[in-house]
Amino acid sequence: MKRLQVNTTQNVKINFELANVGHRILAFFVDNIVKFAYLYLVIRLFNFTLINAAANGDMWSVKAIDVLLFLPITFYSLYSEILLNGQTIGKKLAKIRVINIDGFKPSFIDYTMRWFMRIVDFNFFILVFIYVYSLGLDEYLVLLWLLFIGGKFVGLFSILTTKNNQRIGDLSANTVVINLRDEAAFSQTILEEIHDAYAPKYASVIKLSDNDARIIKDTFYAAKKARDYKTLSKLRKKIEEVTDIKSQKETDIQFIDTVLKDYNYYTQNM
């Protein structure tokens, strides 16, 4: 199993298990099932509208509706990974996630670049397929389907042959796909779930080092699981002492959780 070693700014080495081809194929098939299910529902719901528009000679309306209906599929992986913190529905089921190669959450630009390069990874031959098929060359239908299927193997070949199981989109965006089943590796990380709209409270958390944050996280989760409130209280006092934070009216658990999220927010956006 391939692994990615990340060296933090404090020289703490973190090992991530990379998602293998099987995980990514599973996610790919689930996501395509979601897309085809959407298409099926759209065709069932809107086919009558399209037929009426075509019958009335309003072809521009037909084209406009076509474009609007296909937008959710076109941008599916982009908005899914942004909204679900590096995951699509398929990736959630396969328990894999996209992260920056340095171990942090990818930026909006990273996600956009990764999505855009799907044209090369998966969809180059598909674009040829759509163009030629639109010309009405039905005699080449078998060849077109072979091109359609063959296009999917471009990304697969890249994943199989690159050092960190990266497709061209990953190489362009400086991202990798990791296996979330590797709980041992994640227990050593400082990664926390934060959303783009997250508003930090304590700017002085940057006084902490990566190693401090990792120790705080390990202690926090262990004490919370064991309901060791005495340890949580001591941990809070130590954080306040090191960072000079004058905490607001929060419980120990709420305060430490906020500190970890704030640290992730500032270090990811530095």
Side-chain angles (χ1 to χ4, degrees):
M1 188 68 68
K2 290 185 180 180
R3 303 186 77 86
L4 171 72
Q5 186 177 83
V6 174
N7 291 318
T8 69
T9 55
Q10 299 298 319
N11 291 320
V12 177
K13 290 181 172 58
I14 301 171
N15 286 294
F16 293 97
E17 181 182 311
L18 295 170
N20 61 33
V21 174
H23 297 143
R24 298 182 72 164
I25 289 176
L26 172 61
F28 177 81
F29 274 108
V30 171
D31 287 332
N32 275 276
I33 289 172
V34 172
K35 292 177 184 179
F36 280 116
Y38 167 81
L39 276 178
Y40 175 79
L41 290 174
V42 162
I43 290 170
R44 296 281 293 182
L45 292 173
F46 289 92
N47 191 43
F48 185 73
T49 303
L50 294 174
I51 290 172
N52 281 341
N56 294 327
D58 192 0
M59 294 307 297
W60 284 108
S61 294
V62 173
K63 294 295 183 184
I65 293 173
D66 278 344
V67 170
L68 289 174
L69 294 182
F70 275 90
L71 282 178
I73 289 180
T74 304
F75 294 97
Y76 169 78
S77 62
L78 177 60
Y79 64 73
S80 294
E81 288 179 357
I82 292 173
L83 295 175
L84 300 177
N85 193 25
Q87 293 180 294
T88 59
I89 294 173
K91 287 185 176 69
K92 272 189 170 294
L93 184 64
K95 294 187 177 180
I96 60 178
R97 173 179 292 163
V98 178
I99 66 168
N100 184 275
I101 203 165
D102 295 320
F104 291 113
K105 178 182 176 180
S107 67
F108 176 81
I109 294 175
D110 293 336
Y111 285 130
T112 303
M113 177 62 72
R114 190 173 188 275
W115 166 81
F116 181 76
M117 293 305 292
R118 292 177 71 88
I119 294 174
V120 179
D121 283 313
F122 301 122
N123 299 332
F124 175 74
F125 290 115
I126 295 175
L127 294 176
V128 176
F129 171 91
I130 293 172
Y131 174 71
V132 177
Y133 188 68
S134 68
L135 299 178
L137 303 178
D138 294 339
E139 64 270 22
Y140 296 109
L141 190 58
V142 174
L143 177 60
L144 293 177
W145 275 107
L146 289 174
L147 286 173
F148 179 89
I149 296 170
K152 301 296 185 180
F153 285 95
V154 176
L156 179 62
F157 178 78
S158 178
I159 293 169
L160 288 171
T161 56
T162 53
K163 178 184 175 182
N164 293 320
N165 294 358
Q166 293 169 289
R167 61 179 179 83
I168 297 171
D170 289 314
L171 292 168
S172 302
N174 208 29
T175 57
V176 293
V177 181
I178 57 171
N179 184 4
L180 297 181
R181 294 178 178 87
D182 190 9
E183 295 179 0
F186 273 88
S187 67
Q188 303 171 35
T189 73
I190 58 174
L191 292 175
E192 287 289 319
E193 296 278 354
I194 55 174
H195 301 288
D196 292 334
Y198 180 77
K201 292 183 179 181
Y202 305 119
S204 56
V205 294
I206 58 174
K207 293 182 179 181
L208 298 170
S209 68
D210 284 353
N211 195 41
D212 292 334
R214 180 179 59 82
I215 293 170
I216 290 169
K217 180 176 179 179
D218 288 346
T219 306
F220 173 56
Y221 281 106
K224 188 169 70 167
K225 186 176 180 179
R227 297 186 180 181
D228 185 353
Y229 301 112
K230 186 176 180 180
T231 297
L232 288 170
S233 179
K234 288 181 179 179
L235 182 60
R236 175 179 185 158
K237 289 177 182 177
K238 186 64 177 178
I239 294 170
E240 291 174 335
E241 178 185 326
V242 171
T243 60
D244 295 323
I245 291 176
K246 298 188 183 298
S247 60
Q248 301 174 9
K249 293 181 180 180
E250 298 173 296
T251 65
D252 294 337
I253 290 176
Q254 289 172 336
F255 171 74
I256 299 169
D257 184 60
T258 300
V259 166
L260 288 171
K261 285 183 168 61
D262 285 0
Y263 184 82
N264 272 262
Y265 176 87
Y266 285 114
T267 55
Q268 289 180 29
N269 290 281
M270 288 176 64

